[in-house]
Amino acid sequence: MDWGLLDRYAKSLIKEAGHKIRVSFFSEIEIDSKASANDLVTNIDRQVEQFFIRKIKNDYPDHKILGEEGFGDVVRTLDGVVWLLDPIDGTMNFIHQKRNFAISLGIYVDGIGVLGYIYDVVNDELYHAIKDGGAYLNDERLPYLSSIPLSEAIIGLNASWVAPNQYMDHKKTIELVQSCRGTRSYGSAAIELAYVSTGRLNSYISMRLSPWDIAGGMVIASEVGAVATNLKGEKQQLLGQDTFIVAVPSLHKDILDNYISLKE
Ligand code: IPD
Ligand code: CA
Ligand code: CA
């Protein structure tokens, strides 16, 4: 496989999809809800996913596609080349704010992330990485991340995980909030992973993410020296929902050892 060629191909699809999303700002979008009233989807999420799938199926018919909106393949294993796509990560932001959302794409080969992309459409910021080839923001190489103590760290954390919840002992999360320098919540896992990779955030934690939210960002984060696992410290399995943490190794360990207590 010519990874350079596939990289250029993926970027051209992402840029074209980004253009479609920007154009959509000038027409009325159709909004539906999925699993719950606040789980939103629009005709643009669907159209963008269908655009990718049409192109990929035509040009790489033996590749599989796992897309959030369900137009891709039923993917039961990560064997072969698998594209993990979220056409719009941060749909609520897309609808309410017209910013703070991204196209998120990871290309995996036999379960290993080889190419990763996060496209912040509104800011025209494309983050990408090639395994062992470094991570980039609009073609500028991102520096390796330095260690940082929790007391100086900004943590990406949704307020839901500080309120009582079914997944974790929220009192430990309160201790985490009180021990770090600050917290932020951007409402797009992909944007939060991009921010960890650039050092704008030092960690991002979630109790429930899907493979397409993190597949691209994990490749990027790994190329700048961050570790991404579930909250048991295990490798992400990427075929279903899981908990998530990303940070440089020392901070990742400190948070997991001292501030996360999962219910089970
Ligand atoms: C959501 C965003 C959000 C995260 C949710 C995701 P969507 O993705 O990444 O930040 O907290 O768990 O589902 O639905 O906007 O693609
Ligand atoms: Ca998502
Ligand atoms: Ca989405």
Side-chain angles (χ1 to χ4, degrees), residues 68 86 88-90 212-213:
E68 170 163 26
D86 192 338
I88 298 181
D89 182 60
W212 43 78
D213 298 321

Side-chain angles (χ1 to χ4, degrees), residues 7-249:
D7 174 49
R8 289 193 293 282
Y9 176 78
K11 281 179 184 150
S12 74
L13 294 190
I14 289 167
K15 287 293 179 111
E16 199 175 334
H19 178 70
K20 288 179 191 297
I21 293 173
R22 279 190 293 270
V23 168
S24 79
F25 288 160
F26 298 99
S27 55
E28 206 170 308
I29 55 173
E30 295 160 22
I31 304 164
D32 292 316
S33 51
K34 296 193 281 187
S36 67
N38 297 330
D39 181 9
L40 304 175
V41 62
T42 73
N43 55 322
I44 310 305
D45 300 61
R46 296 194 180 105
Q47 283 168 21
V48 169
E49 180 164 314
Q50 285 168 320
F51 159 76
F52 273 95
I53 289 169
R54 254 194 329 270
K55 292 276 192 183
I56 299 161
K57 286 288 164 200
N58 186 59
D59 297 323
Y60 293 95
D62 56 329
H63 292 189
K64 288 183 285 177
I65 307 153
L66 177 61
E68 170 163 26
E69 307 311 338
F71 297 107
D73 300 297
V74 177
V75 174
R76 294 214 172 80
T77 78
L78 291 177
D79 295 346
V81 182
V82 184
W83 297 57
L84 298 110
L85 170 71
D86 192 338
I88 298 181
D89 182 60
T91 297
M92 196 186 288
N93 292 344
F94 169 66
I95 294 167
H96 286 259
Q97 307 179 326
K98 291 193 166 58
R99 69 190 68 199
N100 294 320
F101 65 87
I103 297 172
S104 165
L105 172 67
I107 303 179
Y108 281 58
V109 181
D110 296 332
I112 295 174
V114 176
L115 295 165
Y117 305 89
I118 296 168
Y119 186 37
D120 178 342
V121 172
V122 171
N123 293 310
D124 192 26
E125 288 185 332
L126 177 59
Y127 303 81
H128 88 276
I130 303 189
K131 187 178 173 357
D132 302 327
Y136 299 80
L137 165 51
N138 286 343
D139 296 328
E140 216 162 286
R141 185 142 184 176
L142 295 175
Y144 219 71
L145 298 169
S146 317
S147 311
I148 187 165
L150 181 62
S151 57
E152 292 173 19
I154 303 184
I155 312 287
L157 188 70
N158 186 316
S160 308
W161 316 131
V162 186
N165 66 80
Q166 64 184 111
Y167 301 99
M168 76 205 304
D169 174 1
H170 73 287
K171 294 189 204 77
K172 294 297 269 182
T173 326
I174 293 174
E175 281 178 37
L176 175 66
V177 171
Q178 290 168 335
S179 306
C180 68
R181 180 162 278 174
T183 58
R184 300 288 183 271
S185 181
Y186 294 94
S188 158
I191 295 275
E192 291 174 282
L193 263 155
Y195 284 7
V196 170
S197 302
T198 52
R200 295 172 197 160
L201 283 177
N202 306 107
S203 179
Y204 168 59
I205 298 168
S206 176
M207 285 300 117
R208 199 188 49 220
L209 290 176
S210 297
W212 43 78
D213 298 321
I214 51 177
M218 281 170 58
V219 183
I220 299 169
S222 150
E223 286 299 314
V224 290
V227 208
T229 64
N230 67 21
L231 287 173
K232 292 178 182 161
E234 300 160 347
K235 188 171 179 274
Q236 219 72 30
Q237 44 93 19
L238 288 176
L239 283 172
Q241 290 195 329
D242 207 346
T243 56
F244 186 73
I245 175 169
V246 60
V248 287

